[in-house]
Amino acid sequence: MKRLVLLLALALPGCGLHPLYEGGASGPVARGLAQIEVAPIAGKSGYLMSNALRDRLPDGGGAAAKYRLEVKLDDSIVGLGVTRDDTVTRERRALRARYQLVDSASGEVLLDATAGSDAGVDVVGSEYATIAAENTALENLANIVADQIVTRIAVYTRRAAGK
């Protein structure tokens, strides 16, 4: 068993996998993410997305941002479960984001991609409970999509750093 563990430990560096956040706060990915400014995003979903992105990006320490992250959101709710009397019993809330990482100095688009996620919402007899469930779903979706965006930008930053 010990030989197998030793063999795997020796083979792992040869597989090409490297830690994304190698070097911690002083590593190339953390430094790159700290240089991103999130552009304003319209609407309630935009407010939630902006906050979620800012929570995930390291603080730049007051330095001028080298990059600008522009995000356009598409937030939709579609009724899925319908009873005989045309009452909706289940909804799907979808949040899709098209985002661009832009070089602030030149205006060049460095990364243009999309991210998104869906959530199911039960429609119950209480309108208040349904609205609360839709809002909770939006908050959760904003967090999930923000994770996807920051991860994709981190991978781009790692590759751009030449590692």
Side-chain angles (χ1 to χ4, degrees):
M1 181 67 174
K2 289 181 183 179
R3 289 182 184 173
L4 178 62
V5 171
L6 181 61
L7 183 62
L8 288 174
L10 292 174
L12 188 60
C15 73
L17 294 176
H18 302 283
L20 183 60
Y21 291 101
E22 182 178 32
S26 61
V29 172
R31 285 192 319 260
L33 291 177
Q35 297 175 346
I36 297 174
E37 169 195 17
V38 179
I41 309 169
K44 178 181 180 180
S45 57
Y47 170 77
L48 293 169
M49 179 62 67
S50 293
N51 285 341
L53 288 167
R54 287 187 186 101
D55 287 345
R56 285 155 179 77
L57 293 172
D59 185 21
K66 186 176 179 182
Y67 307 105
R68 184 178 66 253
L69 180 61
E70 298 176 355
V71 181
K72 293 183 180 138
L73 295 176
D74 178 26
D75 177 24
S76 64
I77 299 176
V78 177
L80 294 178
V82 181
T83 61
R84 289 183 196 177
D85 63 350
D86 289 334
T87 303
V88 175
T89 60
R90 185 105 174 126
E91 296 175 336
R92 180 181 70 200
R93 183 157 209 165
L95 184 64
R96 304 280 181 259
R98 177 167 184 229
Y99 58 96
Q100 296 179 325
L101 185 64
V102 179
D103 186 310
S104 296
S106 67
E108 177 186 4
V109 175
L110 304 172
L111 178 65
D112 187 353
T114 59
S117 190
D118 299 344
V121 177
D122 286 328
V123 179
V124 294
S126 167
E127 197 172 319
Y128 175 78
T130 301
I131 292 171
E134 291 171 352
N135 288 335
T136 300
L138 180 58
E139 291 171 18
N140 292 338
L141 290 172
N143 287 322
I144 291 167
V145 173
D147 284 338
Q148 293 174 5
I149 292 172
V150 171
T151 300
R152 177 65 178 96
I153 292 172
V155 169
Y156 169 80
T157 304
R158 173 75 180 201
R159 288 185 182 148
K163 290 208 171 197

